[in-house]
Amino acid sequence: MAAHDVMPDIELFQPVTVEDASAIARRLEGRGWVLAGGQDTYGWLKDRAKTATAMIDLGTIEALSGIEETADGVRIGAMTTLRTVSRDPLIRERYALLAEAAGKVASPQIRNQGTLGGNVAQDTRCWYYRRGLSCYRAGGNICYADSPEGMNREHAILGASRCVAVSPSDTGTALVALDAVMVIQNGGSVRRVPAAKFFVGPAVNITHMTVLREGDILTAIELPAAWAGAEHYFEKVADRDVWDFALVSIAAAFRTSGNAIEDARLVCGAVSCVPHRLNAVERAVIGRPRSEETAESVAGLASQGAKPLNFNHFKAPLMENLVKRALRS
Amino acid sequence: MNGVQVSTTVNGDVEEFVCHPGETLLEVLRNRLGLTGAKEGCGTGDCGACSVIVDGQLVCSCLVLGAEVEGRKVATVEGLADGNRLHPLQDKFLEHAALQCGICTPGFLVAAKALLDDNPDPTEEEIRYALAGNLCRCTGYDKIVRAVDAAAAELRKSSKKKASGRKK
């Protein structure tokens, strides 16, 4: 296996329109790799764990960058960098949950180059899979992480099906909590997918983490006005505060009236192959205040149904504790 | 090879080069332009030893393609000193012994430069946050943080002098 540092011989396309990018991707079929900021891509290619022979660089499509106000909220171009998302005054004012999540990704260097679209479209960090082993996700018939000797401290406790890899995206949890809509263009046609349906678990498709397929270009992420200015809470627990992926994270948004929660979204990251929405907790907190008492009484619902692996039992209480912290306000 | 022709600015000088489509900016800087200040530590974005500034933004040059800097402005550690006069950051790194083996130093200097360009008066926490993408396995970071803090103070002093000089 190549040693993390040399890129393969590869072609590079630098289209200036989404239509062209999409057409090139379809023409290349499996040989093409749609390139956003490259912070996940180059690792795959340097390791030879993926065998794309051409990159389709979205960096040359100007229309994909930038943040604008729309009739119903805010639209963020998919190629907008994580740094911009984390610092943009409009996002910080209305969707601080997303600004905080974007500011917690990796390191300053990676946030400056990495994009919001790339962060949600990135592949899992399961090291067996990234090593290029022929596991379920890679089209094989075994999961190395879920084996007696498997190192699975970082893996899923919910929603696994043969594959136990988790979604590594910090912004994905925030986008699901904010009911964001992903705008996907393929050729001339555009479809709009709710963030919660954008991410796909292994029971649905074991080789793809999102709904993106050949020729699909994620062009923008729309944040609806409904959650603008909502109370929010974001926390990412990782072994290291920087350049590390979440062990468990939580993104929560609350709309309150007087003291009572009217509507809530609580989403955990790194516990499942997709951002994991805590439906039971959300239902249980309606009509109650954000308080210690509410926190204590509903936290147990967070990890219901969890099936920990050998080394990740800690994730269940960690989820519950993060729910408590989100609800204490 | 399918060559990509790139025209860019490096440390204020116009540079034109032809590179492989998959060639990283780090490889271009080191192998084609002879700028060996940026180092390859990991090749995966963990260590920050290859940090350079592209259009004012700190990036890992091992995770940027040479082809991606077409028409952009690249600043590397080689552009920090003014001829034989070291940049205050370099002076303070020496003064505070903020390096031992030196492999990480160019990356730290460039990361610190990016911070001070953006925020001339950072708190210690802000310094640590801005340098969090750079690893040093020798110093334990404290001397580096102190050196950046001292350089920031020095730069503020000299920019004040310049400003009051202009008034006269």
Side-chain angles (χ1 to χ4, degrees), chain A residues 4-12 14 35-39 42-43 46 55 57 83 87 103-104 107-113 240 242-243, chain B residues 2 4 20-24 27 40 42-46 48 51 57-60 62-65 67-68 111 118 129-130 132-135:
Chain A
H4 300 289
D5 61 343
V6 181
M7 289 281 285
D9 273 334
I10 193 160
E11 281 183 278
L12 177 68
Q14 297 190 297
L35 175 68
Q39 307 304 281
Y42 302 141
K46 287 177 180 182
M55 295 181 287
D57 182 9
R83 174 197 170 96
R87 294 188 174 208
K104 283 287 181 187
S107 66
Q109 284 90 332
I110 288 172
R111 290 193 295 275
N112 288 344
Q113 176 75 8
R240 188 172 171 243
V242 175
W243 211 97
Chain B
N2 240 340
V4 183
H20 296 279
E23 199 168 323
T24 64
E27 290 169 316
E40 178 162 62
C42 61
T44 53
D46 302 51
S51 296
Q57 307 279 304
L58 183 71
V59 298
C60 290
C62 78
L63 292 184
V64 175
L65 298 178
E68 285 179 89
D118 186 47
Y129 192 74
N134 293 72
L135 295 179

Short mmCIF file of all heavy atoms in Angstrom, two decimals, chain A residues 4-12 14 35-39 42-43 46 55 57 83 87 103-104 107-113 240 242-243, chain B residues 2 4 20-24 27 40 42-46 48 51 57-60 62-65 67-68 111 118 129-130 132-135:
data_model
loop_
_atom_site.label_atom_id
_atom_site.label_comp_id
_atom_site.label_asym_id
_atom_site.label_seq_id
_atom_site.Cartn_x
_atom_site.Cartn_y
_atom_site.Cartn_z
N HIS A 4 0.51 7.24 1.99
CA HIS A 4 -0.15 8.50 2.36
C HIS A 4 0.34 9.76 1.70
O HIS A 4 -0.11 10.83 2.05
CB HIS A 4 -0.04 8.73 3.88
CG HIS A 4 -0.67 7.66 4.70
ND1 HIS A 4 -2.03 7.49 4.78
CD2 HIS A 4 -0.11 6.70 5.46
CE1 HIS A 4 -2.29 6.47 5.58
NE2 HIS A 4 -1.16 5.96 5.99
N ASP A 5 1.33 9.72 0.82
CA ASP A 5 1.83 11.02 0.42
C ASP A 5 1.94 11.27 -1.08
O ASP A 5 2.18 12.40 -1.48
CB ASP A 5 3.17 11.32 1.10
CG ASP A 5 4.24 10.32 0.73
OD1 ASP A 5 3.88 9.24 0.22
OD2 ASP A 5 5.42 10.61 0.95
N VAL A 6 1.79 10.27 -1.90
CA VAL A 6 1.97 10.53 -3.33
C VAL A 6 0.65 10.33 -4.07
O VAL A 6 0.02 9.28 -3.98
CB VAL A 6 3.05 9.60 -3.92
CG1 VAL A 6 3.25 9.92 -5.39
CG2 VAL A 6 4.36 9.78 -3.17
N MET A 7 0.27 11.34 -4.81
CA MET A 7 -0.95 11.23 -5.60
C MET A 7 -0.70 10.33 -6.79
O MET A 7 0.40 10.28 -7.33
CB MET A 7 -1.38 12.62 -6.09
CG MET A 7 -1.91 13.52 -5.01
SD MET A 7 -3.62 13.15 -4.56
CE MET A 7 -4.49 13.84 -5.97
N PRO A 8 -1.73 9.62 -7.22
CA PRO A 8 -1.57 8.76 -8.41
C PRO A 8 -1.59 9.62 -9.68
O PRO A 8 -1.93 10.80 -9.62
CB PRO A 8 -2.81 7.88 -8.36
CG PRO A 8 -3.84 8.72 -7.67
CD PRO A 8 -3.09 9.57 -6.69
N ASP A 9 -1.21 9.02 -10.80
CA ASP A 9 -1.42 9.68 -12.09
C ASP A 9 -2.93 9.78 -12.28
O ASP A 9 -3.62 8.77 -12.20
CB ASP A 9 -0.84 8.81 -13.22
CG ASP A 9 0.63 9.13 -13.42
OD1 ASP A 9 1.03 10.27 -13.11
OD2 ASP A 9 1.36 8.24 -13.89
N ILE A 10 -3.40 10.95 -12.52
CA ILE A 10 -4.84 11.14 -12.57
C ILE A 10 -5.15 12.32 -13.48
O ILE A 10 -4.34 13.24 -13.60
CB ILE A 10 -5.39 11.34 -11.13
CG1 ILE A 10 -6.90 11.23 -11.08
CG2 ILE A 10 -4.90 12.65 -10.51
CD1 ILE A 10 -7.45 10.94 -9.70
N GLU A 11 -6.29 12.25 -14.13
CA GLU A 11 -6.71 13.38 -14.96
C GLU A 11 -7.43 14.41 -14.10
O GLU A 11 -7.95 14.08 -13.03
CB GLU A 11 -7.69 12.90 -16.04
CG GLU A 11 -7.05 12.23 -17.23
CD GLU A 11 -8.13 11.87 -18.24
OE1 GLU A 11 -8.79 10.83 -18.06
OE2 GLU A 11 -8.34 12.66 -19.18
N LEU A 12 -7.48 15.64 -14.59
CA LEU A 12 -8.17 16.69 -13.87
C LEU A 12 -9.05 17.49 -14.82
O LEU A 12 -8.56 18.00 -15.83
CB LEU A 12 -7.15 17.62 -13.20
CG LEU A 12 -7.72 18.83 -12.46
CD1 LEU A 12 -8.50 18.40 -11.22
CD2 LEU A 12 -6.60 19.80 -12.05
N GLN A 14 -11.60 20.77 -15.04
CA GLN A 14 -11.97 21.97 -14.30
C GLN A 14 -13.11 22.71 -15.02
O GLN A 14 -12.90 23.74 -15.64
CB GLN A 14 -10.75 22.87 -14.11
CG GLN A 14 -9.68 22.16 -13.26
CD GLN A 14 -8.54 23.08 -12.84
OE1 GLN A 14 -7.81 23.60 -13.67
NE2 GLN A 14 -8.39 23.27 -11.54
N LEU A 35 -14.64 16.52 -7.06
CA LEU A 35 -13.70 17.10 -6.10
C LEU A 35 -14.24 18.42 -5.56
O LEU A 35 -14.51 19.34 -6.32
CB LEU A 35 -12.36 17.33 -6.82
CG LEU A 35 -11.25 18.03 -6.07
CD1 LEU A 35 -10.73 17.16 -4.93
CD2 LEU A 35 -10.10 18.36 -7.03
N ALA A 36 -14.38 18.50 -4.24
CA ALA A 36 -14.77 19.78 -3.63
C ALA A 36 -13.49 20.41 -3.07
O ALA A 36 -12.60 20.78 -3.82
CB ALA A 36 -15.83 19.55 -2.58
N GLY A 37 -13.33 20.47 -1.74
CA GLY A 37 -12.10 21.04 -1.19
C GLY A 37 -10.93 20.08 -1.19
O GLY A 37 -9.78 20.47 -0.98
N GLY A 38 -11.22 18.80 -1.36
CA GLY A 38 -10.15 17.79 -1.48
C GLY A 38 -9.63 17.24 -0.16
O GLY A 38 -8.78 16.35 -0.16
N GLN A 39 -10.15 17.72 0.97
CA GLN A 39 -9.54 17.35 2.25
C GLN A 39 -9.82 15.89 2.63
O GLN A 39 -9.07 15.31 3.42
CB GLN A 39 -10.00 18.30 3.35
CG GLN A 39 -9.78 19.78 3.02
CD GLN A 39 -8.33 20.10 2.68
OE1 GLN A 39 -7.50 20.24 3.57
NE2 GLN A 39 -8.01 20.22 1.40
N TYR A 42 -8.05 13.63 -1.25
CA TYR A 42 -6.64 13.33 -1.52
C TYR A 42 -6.14 12.17 -0.65
O TYR A 42 -5.25 11.42 -1.07
CB TYR A 42 -5.78 14.58 -1.33
CG TYR A 42 -6.21 15.74 -2.23
CD1 TYR A 42 -6.20 17.05 -1.77
CD2 TYR A 42 -6.64 15.49 -3.53
CE1 TYR A 42 -6.62 18.10 -2.58
CE2 TYR A 42 -7.06 16.54 -4.34
CZ TYR A 42 -7.05 17.84 -3.87
OH TYR A 42 -7.47 18.86 -4.66
N GLY A 43 -6.70 12.03 0.54
CA GLY A 43 -6.33 10.89 1.38
C GLY A 43 -6.68 9.57 0.70
O GLY A 43 -5.87 8.64 0.65
N LYS A 46 -4.30 9.20 -2.40
CA LYS A 46 -2.89 8.93 -2.04
C LYS A 46 -2.73 7.50 -1.52
O LYS A 46 -1.73 6.86 -1.76
CB LYS A 46 -2.43 9.93 -0.96
CG LYS A 46 -2.21 11.34 -1.49
CD LYS A 46 -1.83 12.29 -0.35
CE LYS A 46 -1.60 13.69 -0.87
NZ LYS A 46 -1.19 14.63 0.21
N MET A 55 -10.35 13.47 -11.73
CA MET A 55 -11.05 14.32 -10.76
C MET A 55 -11.81 15.40 -11.51
O MET A 55 -11.33 15.94 -12.50
CB MET A 55 -10.05 14.98 -9.81
CG MET A 55 -9.30 13.99 -8.94
SD MET A 55 -8.14 14.83 -7.82
CE MET A 55 -6.86 15.34 -8.96
N ASP A 57 -13.09 18.91 -10.74
CA ASP A 57 -12.91 19.95 -9.74
C ASP A 57 -14.06 20.95 -9.78
O ASP A 57 -14.29 21.60 -10.80
CB ASP A 57 -11.57 20.66 -10.03
CG ASP A 57 -11.24 21.75 -9.02
OD1 ASP A 57 -11.95 21.85 -8.01
OD2 ASP A 57 -10.26 22.48 -9.26
N ARG A 83 -14.67 27.60 6.91
CA ARG A 83 -14.28 28.83 7.61
C ARG A 83 -15.33 29.92 7.38
O ARG A 83 -15.77 30.58 8.31
CB ARG A 83 -12.92 29.30 7.12
CG ARG A 83 -12.50 30.66 7.69
CD ARG A 83 -11.37 31.25 6.86
NE ARG A 83 -11.06 32.61 7.19
CZ ARG A 83 -10.08 32.98 8.03
NH1 ARG A 83 -9.37 32.07 8.63
NH2 ARG A 83 -9.84 34.25 8.26
N ARG A 87 -17.84 31.75 10.15
CA ARG A 87 -17.65 33.16 10.49
C ARG A 87 -18.68 34.09 9.89
O ARG A 87 -18.71 35.27 10.23
CB ARG A 87 -16.28 33.61 9.99
CG ARG A 87 -15.13 32.94 10.71
CD ARG A 87 -13.85 33.59 10.28
NE ARG A 87 -12.73 33.08 11.05
CZ ARG A 87 -11.63 33.77 11.30
NH1 ARG A 87 -11.50 34.99 10.84
NH2 ARG A 87 -10.65 33.24 12.01
N GLY A 103 -17.22 25.37 12.75
CA GLY A 103 -16.00 25.82 13.42
C GLY A 103 -15.31 24.72 14.22
O GLY A 103 -14.18 24.91 14.69
N LYS A 104 -15.97 23.59 14.39
CA LYS A 104 -15.39 22.47 15.15
C LYS A 104 -14.78 21.41 14.24
O LYS A 104 -14.24 20.41 14.70
CB LYS A 104 -16.47 21.81 16.01
CG LYS A 104 -16.83 22.60 17.25
CD LYS A 104 -15.72 22.49 18.26
CE LYS A 104 -16.04 23.26 19.53
NZ LYS A 104 -14.89 23.28 20.44
N SER A 107 -9.08 21.26 11.60
CA SER A 107 -8.12 22.29 12.01
C SER A 107 -8.35 23.55 11.17
O SER A 107 -9.06 23.52 10.17
CB SER A 107 -6.70 21.79 11.77
OG SER A 107 -6.48 21.63 10.38
N PRO A 108 -7.72 24.68 11.57
CA PRO A 108 -7.90 25.90 10.77
C PRO A 108 -7.55 25.66 9.29
O PRO A 108 -8.30 26.08 8.40
CB PRO A 108 -6.91 26.89 11.40
CG PRO A 108 -6.77 26.44 12.81
CD PRO A 108 -6.91 24.94 12.77
N GLN A 109 -6.44 25.00 9.04
CA GLN A 109 -6.02 24.75 7.65
C GLN A 109 -7.12 24.02 6.87
O GLN A 109 -7.39 24.35 5.71
CB GLN A 109 -4.75 23.87 7.63
CG GLN A 109 -3.46 24.59 7.98
CD GLN A 109 -3.13 24.57 9.46
OE1 GLN A 109 -4.02 24.49 10.30
NE2 GLN A 109 -1.86 24.64 9.79
N ILE A 110 -7.70 23.02 7.48
CA ILE A 110 -8.69 22.20 6.77
C ILE A 110 -10.01 22.94 6.61
O ILE A 110 -10.67 22.85 5.58
CB ILE A 110 -8.83 20.83 7.47
CG1 ILE A 110 -7.55 20.03 7.19
CG2 ILE A 110 -10.07 20.07 6.99
CD1 ILE A 110 -7.42 18.74 7.94
N ARG A 111 -10.39 23.76 7.60
CA ARG A 111 -11.62 24.55 7.46
C ARG A 111 -11.46 25.63 6.38
O ARG A 111 -12.45 26.04 5.78
CB ARG A 111 -11.99 25.21 8.79
CG ARG A 111 -12.47 24.24 9.84
CD ARG A 111 -13.10 24.97 11.00
NE ARG A 111 -12.15 25.80 11.74
CZ ARG A 111 -11.36 25.37 12.71
NH1 ARG A 111 -11.39 24.09 13.07
NH2 ARG A 111 -10.56 26.19 13.36
N ASN A 112 -10.25 26.09 6.17
CA ASN A 112 -10.03 27.12 5.15
C ASN A 112 -10.17 26.57 3.74
O ASN A 112 -10.46 27.30 2.80
CB ASN A 112 -8.62 27.73 5.29
CG ASN A 112 -8.52 28.62 6.51
OD1 ASN A 112 -9.52 29.03 7.07
ND2 ASN A 112 -7.30 28.93 6.91
N GLN A 113 -9.92 25.31 3.56
CA GLN A 113 -9.95 24.71 2.23
C GLN A 113 -11.15 23.78 2.08
O GLN A 113 -11.69 23.64 0.99
CB GLN A 113 -8.62 23.94 2.01
CG GLN A 113 -8.52 23.17 0.71
CD GLN A 113 -8.27 24.07 -0.49
OE1 GLN A 113 -8.03 25.26 -0.35
NE2 GLN A 113 -8.34 23.50 -1.69
N ARG A 240 -9.24 14.41 20.92
CA ARG A 240 -8.45 15.63 20.83
C ARG A 240 -9.38 16.72 20.32
O ARG A 240 -10.21 16.47 19.48
CB ARG A 240 -7.28 15.39 19.88
CG ARG A 240 -6.29 16.51 19.85
CD ARG A 240 -5.03 16.16 19.04
NE ARG A 240 -4.27 17.38 18.90
CZ ARG A 240 -4.02 17.96 17.74
NH1 ARG A 240 -4.42 17.41 16.61
NH2 ARG A 240 -3.35 19.08 17.69
N VAL A 242 -8.88 19.11 18.42
CA VAL A 242 -8.59 19.59 17.07
C VAL A 242 -8.20 18.41 16.18
O VAL A 242 -7.65 17.43 16.65
CB VAL A 242 -7.42 20.59 17.11
CG1 VAL A 242 -7.03 21.01 15.70
CG2 VAL A 242 -7.77 21.78 17.95
N TRP A 243 -8.46 18.57 14.90
CA TRP A 243 -8.13 17.53 13.93
C TRP A 243 -8.52 16.14 14.45
O TRP A 243 -7.72 15.23 14.42
CB TRP A 243 -6.65 17.52 13.52
CG TRP A 243 -6.57 17.02 12.10
CD1 TRP A 243 -6.48 17.80 10.99
CD2 TRP A 243 -6.66 15.67 11.63
NE1 TRP A 243 -6.53 17.02 9.87
CE2 TRP A 243 -6.63 15.73 10.21
CE3 TRP A 243 -6.79 14.42 12.24
CZ2 TRP A 243 -6.71 14.59 9.41
CZ3 TRP A 243 -6.88 13.28 11.44
CH2 TRP A 243 -6.83 13.38 10.04
N ASN B 2 -0.19 14.38 -18.83
CA ASN B 2 -1.09 15.45 -19.17
C ASN B 2 -0.70 16.66 -18.32
O ASN B 2 -1.00 16.69 -17.15
CB ASN B 2 -2.52 15.03 -18.79
CG ASN B 2 -3.42 15.02 -19.99
OD1 ASN B 2 -3.11 15.65 -21.01
ND2 ASN B 2 -4.53 14.32 -19.87
N VAL B 4 -0.60 20.42 -16.69
CA VAL B 4 -1.48 21.55 -16.45
C VAL B 4 -0.59 22.78 -16.34
O VAL B 4 0.36 22.79 -15.56
CB VAL B 4 -2.26 21.39 -15.13
CG1 VAL B 4 -3.23 22.55 -14.93
CG2 VAL B 4 -3.01 20.07 -15.10
N HIS B 20 1.81 17.98 -13.03
CA HIS B 20 0.87 16.88 -13.23
C HIS B 20 -0.49 17.30 -12.66
O HIS B 20 -0.54 18.04 -11.68
CB HIS B 20 1.31 15.63 -12.48
CG HIS B 20 2.60 15.06 -12.97
ND1 HIS B 20 2.67 14.26 -14.08
CD2 HIS B 20 3.86 15.17 -12.49
CE1 HIS B 20 3.93 13.89 -14.28
NE2 HIS B 20 4.67 14.43 -13.34
N PRO B 21 -1.57 16.79 -13.22
CA PRO B 21 -2.89 17.15 -12.69
C PRO B 21 -3.04 16.80 -11.21
O PRO B 21 -3.70 17.51 -10.47
CB PRO B 21 -3.86 16.31 -13.54
CG PRO B 21 -3.11 15.96 -14.77
CD PRO B 21 -1.66 15.90 -14.39
N GLY B 22 -2.44 15.71 -10.77
CA GLY B 22 -2.59 15.30 -9.39
C GLY B 22 -1.49 15.81 -8.47
O GLY B 22 -1.45 15.45 -7.29
N GLU B 23 -0.60 16.60 -9.01
CA GLU B 23 0.55 17.05 -8.20
C GLU B 23 0.10 18.05 -7.14
O GLU B 23 -0.62 19.00 -7.43
CB GLU B 23 1.56 17.70 -9.15
CG GLU B 23 2.95 17.81 -8.59
CD GLU B 23 3.95 18.19 -9.70
OE1 GLU B 23 3.80 17.72 -10.85
OE2 GLU B 23 4.85 18.97 -9.40
N THR B 24 0.58 17.86 -5.92
CA THR B 24 0.14 18.77 -4.86
C THR B 24 0.94 20.07 -4.93
O THR B 24 2.05 20.13 -5.48
CB THR B 24 0.34 18.15 -3.46
OG1 THR B 24 1.74 17.94 -3.25
CG2 THR B 24 -0.40 16.84 -3.31
N GLU B 27 4.38 19.62 -3.56
CA GLU B 27 5.35 19.06 -4.51
C GLU B 27 5.82 20.13 -5.49
O GLU B 27 7.00 20.20 -5.83
CB GLU B 27 4.73 17.88 -5.27
CG GLU B 27 4.51 16.66 -4.38
CD GLU B 27 3.66 15.58 -5.06
OE1 GLU B 27 2.65 15.91 -5.70
OE2 GLU B 27 4.03 14.41 -4.94
N GLU B 40 7.00 18.17 4.21
CA GLU B 40 5.97 17.14 4.27
C GLU B 40 6.14 16.31 5.53
O GLU B 40 7.16 15.65 5.71
CB GLU B 40 6.03 16.21 3.06
CG GLU B 40 4.98 15.13 3.18
CD GLU B 40 4.67 14.43 1.87
OE1 GLU B 40 5.58 13.81 1.31
OE2 GLU B 40 3.51 14.52 1.43
N CYS B 42 3.05 14.53 7.15
CA CYS B 42 2.15 13.39 7.10
C CYS B 42 1.51 13.18 5.73
O CYS B 42 1.20 12.06 5.36
CB CYS B 42 1.05 13.56 8.14
SG CYS B 42 0.05 15.04 7.87
N GLY B 43 1.30 14.25 5.01
CA GLY B 43 0.61 14.12 3.72
C GLY B 43 -0.89 13.97 3.85
O GLY B 43 -1.58 13.74 2.86
N THR B 44 -1.41 14.11 5.06
CA THR B 44 -2.85 13.92 5.26
C THR B 44 -3.53 15.08 5.97
O THR B 44 -4.71 15.01 6.29
CB THR B 44 -3.11 12.64 6.09
OG1 THR B 44 -2.34 12.72 7.29
CG2 THR B 44 -2.72 11.39 5.34
N GLY B 45 -2.81 16.16 6.26
CA GLY B 45 -3.44 17.32 6.89
C GLY B 45 -3.40 17.29 8.41
O GLY B 45 -3.93 18.19 9.05
N ASP B 46 -2.76 16.29 9.00
CA ASP B 46 -2.70 16.22 10.47
C ASP B 46 -1.68 17.19 11.06
O ASP B 46 -1.90 17.73 12.14
CB ASP B 46 -2.28 14.83 10.94
CG ASP B 46 -3.17 13.72 10.48
OD1 ASP B 46 -3.43 13.64 9.27
OD2 ASP B 46 -3.58 12.92 11.32
N GLY B 48 0.41 19.92 9.66
CA GLY B 48 0.56 21.34 9.36
C GLY B 48 1.98 21.78 8.98
O GLY B 48 2.22 22.97 8.81
N SER B 51 2.20 23.97 5.85
CA SER B 51 1.29 25.12 5.79
C SER B 51 1.83 26.25 4.92
O SER B 51 2.99 26.63 5.03
CB SER B 51 1.04 25.68 7.19
OG SER B 51 0.37 24.72 7.98
N GLN B 57 -5.50 32.75 3.09
CA GLN B 57 -6.01 31.65 3.91
C GLN B 57 -4.93 30.58 4.14
O GLN B 57 -4.32 30.11 3.19
CB GLN B 57 -7.19 30.95 3.21
CG GLN B 57 -8.29 31.89 2.79
CD GLN B 57 -9.22 32.24 3.94
OE1 GLN B 57 -9.78 31.36 4.56
NE2 GLN B 57 -9.33 33.51 4.24
N LEU B 58 -4.76 30.24 5.40
CA LEU B 58 -3.81 29.19 5.75
C LEU B 58 -4.33 27.84 5.25
O LEU B 58 -5.47 27.48 5.53
CB LEU B 58 -3.64 29.16 7.27
CG LEU B 58 -2.64 28.17 7.84
CD1 LEU B 58 -1.23 28.62 7.52
CD2 LEU B 58 -2.84 28.04 9.35
N VAL B 59 -3.50 27.10 4.52
CA VAL B 59 -3.91 25.76 4.06
C VAL B 59 -2.75 24.80 4.20
O VAL B 59 -1.60 25.21 4.34
CB VAL B 59 -4.38 25.77 2.58
CG1 VAL B 59 -5.60 26.66 2.38
CG2 VAL B 59 -3.25 26.20 1.65
N CYS B 60 -3.05 23.51 4.15
CA CYS B 60 -2.01 22.49 4.06
C CYS B 60 -1.69 22.32 2.58
O CYS B 60 -2.55 21.89 1.81
CB CYS B 60 -2.51 21.16 4.63
SG CYS B 60 -2.72 21.19 6.41
N CYS B 62 -0.07 20.15 1.15
CA CYS B 62 -0.14 18.74 0.73
C CYS B 62 -1.57 18.34 0.37
O CYS B 62 -1.79 17.28 -0.19
CB CYS B 62 0.42 17.81 1.80
SG CYS B 62 -0.70 17.51 3.17
N LEU B 63 -2.54 19.19 0.75
CA LEU B 63 -3.95 18.90 0.45
C LEU B 63 -4.54 19.96 -0.48
O LEU B 63 -5.72 20.30 -0.39
CB LEU B 63 -4.77 18.79 1.74
CG LEU B 63 -4.48 17.60 2.65
CD1 LEU B 63 -5.43 17.57 3.84
CD2 LEU B 63 -4.59 16.27 1.90
N VAL B 64 -3.69 20.53 -1.30
CA VAL B 64 -4.13 21.46 -2.34
C VAL B 64 -3.36 21.05 -3.60
O VAL B 64 -2.18 20.70 -3.51
CB VAL B 64 -3.77 22.92 -1.96
CG1 VAL B 64 -4.12 23.87 -3.10
CG2 VAL B 64 -4.49 23.34 -0.68
N LEU B 65 -4.02 21.07 -4.73
CA LEU B 65 -3.32 20.74 -5.97
C LEU B 65 -2.58 21.96 -6.50
O LEU B 65 -3.04 23.10 -6.32
CB LEU B 65 -4.32 20.28 -7.04
CG LEU B 65 -5.12 19.02 -6.74
CD1 LEU B 65 -6.10 18.76 -7.89
CD2 LEU B 65 -4.21 17.82 -6.53
N ALA B 67 -2.57 22.70 -9.49
CA ALA B 67 -3.52 23.26 -10.46
C ALA B 67 -4.55 24.18 -9.81
O ALA B 67 -5.15 25.01 -10.48
CB ALA B 67 -4.23 22.12 -11.20
N GLU B 68 -4.77 24.02 -8.51
CA GLU B 68 -5.79 24.82 -7.83
C GLU B 68 -5.34 26.25 -7.53
O GLU B 68 -6.16 27.08 -7.14
CB GLU B 68 -6.20 24.16 -6.50
CG GLU B 68 -7.08 22.94 -6.67
CD GLU B 68 -7.44 22.31 -5.33
OE1 GLU B 68 -8.44 22.71 -4.73
OE2 GLU B 68 -6.71 21.41 -4.87
N ALA B 111 1.58 29.68 9.94
CA ALA B 111 0.29 29.67 10.63
C ALA B 111 0.17 30.90 11.53
O ALA B 111 -0.89 31.53 11.62
CB ALA B 111 0.12 28.39 11.44
N ASP B 118 -4.70 38.45 10.43
CA ASP B 118 -6.15 38.49 10.64
C ASP B 118 -6.49 39.15 11.97
O ASP B 118 -7.49 39.83 12.11
CB ASP B 118 -6.66 37.03 10.61
CG ASP B 118 -8.16 36.94 10.67
OD1 ASP B 118 -8.80 37.68 9.90
OD2 ASP B 118 -8.68 36.15 11.49
N TYR B 129 -5.58 28.28 19.53
CA TYR B 129 -6.61 27.82 18.61
C TYR B 129 -6.11 27.90 17.17
O TYR B 129 -6.29 26.98 16.38
CB TYR B 129 -7.86 28.70 18.81
CG TYR B 129 -9.11 28.19 18.15
CD1 TYR B 129 -9.79 27.09 18.66
CD2 TYR B 129 -9.62 28.82 17.03
CE1 TYR B 129 -10.95 26.64 18.06
CE2 TYR B 129 -10.77 28.37 16.42
CZ TYR B 129 -11.44 27.28 16.94
OH TYR B 129 -12.59 26.83 16.34
N ALA B 130 -5.44 29.02 16.84
CA ALA B 130 -4.97 29.22 15.47
C ALA B 130 -3.82 28.28 15.10
O ALA B 130 -3.61 27.98 13.94
CB ALA B 130 -4.53 30.67 15.27
N ALA B 132 -3.58 25.22 16.25
CA ALA B 132 -4.00 23.87 16.61
C ALA B 132 -3.82 22.87 15.48
O ALA B 132 -3.76 21.66 15.71
CB ALA B 132 -5.45 23.87 17.07
N GLY B 133 -3.71 23.35 14.25
CA GLY B 133 -3.50 22.44 13.13
C GLY B 133 -2.04 22.14 12.87
O GLY B 133 -1.70 21.53 11.85
N ASN B 134 -1.17 22.57 13.76
CA ASN B 134 0.27 22.33 13.58
C ASN B 134 0.79 21.49 14.74
O ASN B 134 0.55 21.81 15.90
CB ASN B 134 1.03 23.66 13.55
CG ASN B 134 0.68 24.47 12.32
OD1 ASN B 134 -0.42 25.01 12.23
ND2 ASN B 134 1.58 24.53 11.38
N LEU B 135 1.51 20.43 14.41
CA LEU B 135 2.08 19.58 15.45
C LEU B 135 3.57 19.86 15.61
O LEU B 135 4.28 20.06 14.64
CB LEU B 135 1.89 18.10 15.09
CG LEU B 135 0.46 17.59 15.02
CD1 LEU B 135 0.45 16.11 14.64
CD2 LEU B 135 -0.26 17.78 16.35
#
